[in-house]
Amino acid sequence: MLSGFNVILSTISFSIETEEAESLKQQVSFTTTTIPTALLFSGIPFEKACQLRVKGEGGLSAATAGTMVGLSLGEKHFIRGGIAQDLRTDGRKRLTYRPISVETGVIPQANGSARVRMGTTDVIASVKAELGKPDLLQSDKGRVIINVDCSPTAAPIFEGRGGEELSTELSVALQRCLLGSKSGTGAGINRSSLMVVEGKLCWDLYIDGLVVSSDGNLLDALGAAIKAALSNTGIPKVHVATAASADEQPEVDISDEEFLQFDTSGIPVIVTLTKVGRHYIVDATSEEESQMSSAISVSVNRNGHICGLTKRGGAGLDPSVILDMISVSKHVSEQLMNKLDSEISAAEADETES
Amino acid sequence: MAGKAASVPSTYSPSPTQKKKPTIFKDVDWVRPDGRGFHQCRPAFLRTSAVNAASGSAYVEFGNTKVIVSVFGPRESKKAMLYSDVGRLNCNVSYTTFATPIRGQGSDHKEFSSMLHKALEGAIILETFPKTTVDVFALVLECGGSDLPVVISCASLALADAGIMMYDLVTAVSVSCLGKNLVIDPISEEESFQDGSLMITCLPSRNEVTQLTLTGEWSTPKIHEAMELCLDACSKLGEIMRSCLKEAVSISKE
């Protein structure tokens, strides 16, 4: 990461006055010595990082993180300037994703699992199905529990309770995008299909996301991983003994040979648009995320309907800008959906071969 | 009163009262449970300086939703925190155990604290209180629907009461989508049947949205409609909040 910065800096210093270049170099040597490596190498946005540190004890303050994060002034200008000119630091255009790779069936213990990598962002999602009793209030629906874990292996600041705030934010955003509203409309996962015996027996679907390595755009990656994991999920067929009376639990026989494929046609994709300056970018790296003013995550299903929206970042946005961002993300989502579908089917084919 | 007490048996005997199951129709001629129009907000009651110990506080009632918010500070940050040349904002939302129909259900809303933080941080001029922290503590006394928007509006009123510099008051309004209808400021009953919901928090005079969440399936024109409805309600709520603050000042001057 640091060596990359040096290269960028040397190119800048050629194009500017020597005096400025000198001051730039000073700044860099200053930042590299004073910033704790924990923050330099953490993949999460720095804004987020400082919030986490504020919550945790003895952290880097919001102000210090805001003004002198791992990036020097020159590097910040370089990132912002690149975005303004539609050529980002890694050569991408504003609305281009990093290469996505999908691997399915990575966890043999789970009913379905997938690993998704976008650049150096690396996440795993697993789906486990367990038989349970449905809620009294919603006796015709199964339960879906979504949980995200940020492992300290991804970044040292996730250690202990450090990753808790980010984990909650991600889980809530995923729930909003995948589970729809209370009555179940707009849900990517049809909870009625999880019913085995009405009012008595249902499948509880535990969806767990794990952040293995984080370099920005975690929500989109987790959304893609969950989509892939669900299409990889086989739910065992259940044979119910018919003789059970009204208030007894029915006896069941869970088949370990026959599986029902989970219907994933309704699962949306999540597109996060990060606003840097006046422009929006997709699939921001953590360096780019540190420069964001605000971001909007939109989940779009195959019909082009929006089924969940979350805003991040404190800065206010004009309502017309939000509507514009929604229409851009809708456009981007089509490409992402197609790309993801082909990657998932390729991964499934790979798995059956091996 | 005494006569009434006499007619009631002195011991408690549980008798099966017939509770009507709430029926919500999604037809066009459906009437909301509290008789409001679809685009009509609940009557609001706003009062500042509800808590003496706090630097600023507010108590807000929107129908049955009752919220109290205290603001402490700006005060010294915890020792463990490093120097910061902008202030810090610390938000916490909690429910009383008796706020919800089922006791202790309020703990389901863990994300409210961070959502309150995100809604407010864009409005507060943090540069005006360097090295210090402002604590915003919200308590939901009774949960009657649209809790988070009420908490956010109440918190910005309390911040203004505490004299914290802000670009503008933060107002928040939510709409629920029931069938084809959009209903503003939903009560709990409507929220439990909703097909979708949209919440906007905004700075009305600057026409800026600080927080936006959406659940359920929406088409783009529907989002347009709901956003316009919310923004209009937000600006009206802003005026009401402003007049409440002015009133409080004029009373204290007398």
Side-chain angles (χ1 to χ4, degrees):
Chain A
M1 195 164 168
L2 277 174
S3 60
F5 287 171
N6 289 337
V7 173
I8 295 167
L9 262 170
S10 59
T11 55
I12 294 174
S13 53
F14 283 124
S15 58
I16 51 177
E17 309 277 313
T18 27
E19 241 181 50
E20 273 183 79
E22 206 52 50
S23 69
L24 260 179
K25 271 178 196 157
Q26 277 171 2
Q27 275 171 357
V28 169
S29 60
F30 177 63
T31 41
T32 43
T33 49
T34 49
I35 293 295
T37 42
L39 264 180
L40 255 179
F41 291 101
S42 73
I44 63 161
F46 287 100
E47 212 182 326
K48 197 72 225 170
C50 54
Q51 277 177 16
L52 295 174
R53 301 303 283 184
V54 170
K55 284 263 165 159
E57 303 230 308
L60 196 77
S61 73
T64 37
T67 49
M68 41 170 226
V69 289
L71 300 176
S72 73
L73 209 62
E75 287 158 343
K76 285 181 189 170
H77 280 307
F78 191 77
I79 290 175
R80 285 163 175 268
I83 288 168
Q85 288 171 31
D86 204 7
L87 182 64
R88 290 152 69 177
T89 43
D90 45 7
R92 281 184 290 157
K93 284 175 172 286
R94 281 196 289 264
L95 298 182
T96 318
Y97 270 81
R98 287 173 284 188
I100 300 172
S101 84
V102 180
E103 232 179 290
T104 52
V106 288
I107 304 167
Q109 311 266 28
N111 294 71
S113 61
R115 176 184 185 185
V116 166
R117 270 173 289 187
M118 287 181 175
T120 43
T121 295
D122 193 341
V123 295
I124 293 177
S126 92
V127 180
K128 275 206 176 212
E130 286 173 14
L131 278 178
K133 253 189 115 171
D135 284 332
L136 283 174
L137 291 172
Q138 291 184 315
S139 57
D140 57 338
K141 288 190 176 96
R143 263 187 298 248
V144 180
I145 297 106
I146 301 181
N147 193 30
V148 178
D149 189 21
C150 294
S151 152
T153 51
I157 71 156
F158 290 155
E159 202 223 315
R161 303 187 65 182
E164 209 170 69
E165 197 178 329
L166 183 64
S167 306
T168 331
E169 190 180 332
L170 289 170
S171 341
V172 169
L174 285 169
Q175 277 163 15
R176 197 174 285 144
C177 292
L178 295 172
L179 302 186
S181 64
K182 283 194 181 120
S183 69
T185 47
I189 302 165
N190 184 4
R191 292 200 288 145
S192 306
S193 68
L194 296 171
M195 210 64 226
V196 181
V197 181
E198 183 154 341
K200 284 184 182 166
L201 207 58
C202 68
W203 284 108
D204 291 343
L205 221 52
Y206 291 88
I207 303 179
D208 290 292
L210 173 70
V211 176
V212 181
S213 150
S214 104
D215 186 19
N217 207 25
L218 286 176
L219 193 62
D220 294 19
L222 282 165
I226 290 174
K227 191 176 160 75
L230 282 171
S231 69
N232 178 243
T233 300
I235 293 177
K237 214 169 183 178
V238 180
H239 299 282
V240 184
T242 41
S245 67
D247 35 81
E248 265 175 63
Q249 271 296 333
E251 274 181 40
V252 290
D253 175 30
I254 302 169
S255 160
D256 47 7
E257 280 160 6
E258 284 177 283
F259 291 96
L260 296 171
Q261 197 63 35
F262 202 83
D263 176 28
T264 52
S265 56
I267 309 268
V269 288
I270 305 174
V271 174
T272 303
L273 279 188
T274 309
K275 191 162 180 275
V276 179
R278 286 189 297 114
H279 302 278
Y280 333 124
I281 53 171
V282 297
D283 195 16
T285 62
S286 54
E287 284 156 30
E288 287 165 333
E289 274 182 1
S290 72
Q291 297 305 302
M292 77 169 190
S293 56
S294 49
I296 281 186
S297 301
V298 186
S299 81
V300 188
N301 65 12
R302 209 172 289 273
N303 304 330
H305 284 166
I306 287 147
C307 27
L309 193 152
T310 319
K311 183 178 172 293
R312 287 190 295 151
L317 281 179
D318 194 86
S320 61
V321 173
I322 293 182
L323 291 172
D324 188 39
M325 285 172 96
I326 290 174
S327 70
V328 170
S329 54
K330 243 171 104 168
H331 177 70
V332 173
S333 73
E334 272 175 43
Q335 300 160 10
L336 180 63
M337 180 85 85
N338 293 335
K339 171 88 182 126
L340 209 55
D341 280 345
S342 64
E343 282 291 330
I344 290 172
S345 51
E348 300 257 287
D350 269 3
E351 200 193 337
T352 44
E353 260 176 42
S354 58
Chain B
M1 195 67 192
K4 198 184 170 192
S7 65
V8 173
S10 54
T11 52
Y12 167 73
S13 61
S15 58
T17 48
Q18 284 205 328
K19 260 200 173 174
K20 254 194 278 174
K21 222 187 164 192
T23 46
I24 289 233
F25 299 101
K26 294 175 178 179
D27 310 332
V28 187
D29 55 348
W30 161 69
V31 182
R32 294 176 74 171
D34 49 2
R36 276 184 290 157
F38 288 169
H39 297 173
Q40 194 185 352
C41 293
R42 288 173 290 182
F45 172 81
L46 315 163
R47 190 65 85 235
T48 54
S49 309
V51 178
N52 284 331
S55 2
S57 61
Y59 171 76
V60 167
E61 271 180 28
F62 274 62
N64 286 331
T65 307
K66 300 184 177 75
V67 172
I68 190 160
V69 176
S70 306
V71 172
F72 294 93
R75 58 185 182 185
E76 193 185 357
S77 299
K78 275 186 199 138
K79 279 214 178 100
M81 291 181 183
L82 293 185
Y83 171 82
S84 142
D85 57 6
V86 295
R88 291 194 186 87
L89 178 69
N90 174 33
C91 296
N92 185 37
V93 180
S94 51
Y95 277 67
T96 57
T97 47
F98 49 81
T100 45
I102 298 170
R103 189 181 168 277
Q105 219 178 21
S107 55
D108 296 349
H109 306 286
K110 272 183 226 146
E111 77 279 12
F112 277 16
S113 301
S114 74
M115 288 173 80
L116 177 62
H117 184 275
K118 280 191 274 182
L120 294 176
E121 68 174 342
I124 297 173
I125 311 175
L126 293 168
E127 289 80 7
T128 54
F129 47 97
K131 297 184 272 182
T132 50
T133 305
V134 166
D135 292 303
V136 179
F137 298 132
L139 181 66
V140 180
L141 297 171
E142 192 178 333
C143 155
S146 313
D147 297 342
L148 186 60
V150 177
V151 165
I152 292 168
S153 308
C154 185
S156 84
L157 206 60
L159 282 166
D161 183 49
I164 308 288
M165 293 268 267
M166 288 192 286
Y167 294 110
D168 193 3
L169 285 169
V170 185
T171 58
V173 171
S174 64
V175 288
S176 276
C177 184
L178 287 157
K180 282 193 170 123
N181 303 319
L182 285 177
V183 295
I184 201 161
D185 198 17
I187 58 170
S188 316
E189 199 182 335
E190 287 162 339
E191 274 184 335
S192 61
F193 285 96
Q194 71 193 4
D195 297 317
S197 74
L198 181 144
M199 184 194 79
I200 279 189
T201 74
C202 74
L203 313 177
S205 7
R206 285 164 65 101
N207 197 29
E208 265 183 19
V209 176
T210 60
Q211 193 55 242
L212 172 68
T213 57
L214 188 149
T215 58
E217 193 171 347
W218 295 73
S219 62
T220 321
K222 200 97 183 171
I223 294 178
H224 271 258
E225 194 190 336
M227 269 176 77
E228 259 170 46
L229 201 63
C230 274
L231 289 170
D232 185 45
C234 276
S235 65
K236 281 175 184 152
L237 179 61
E239 279 165 35
I240 296 171
M241 284 162 62
R242 223 170 277 275
S243 66
C244 162
L245 286 167
K246 279 182 193 160
E247 209 175 291
V249 172
S250 62
I251 288 171
S252 65
K253 268 185 187 166
E254 283 165 14

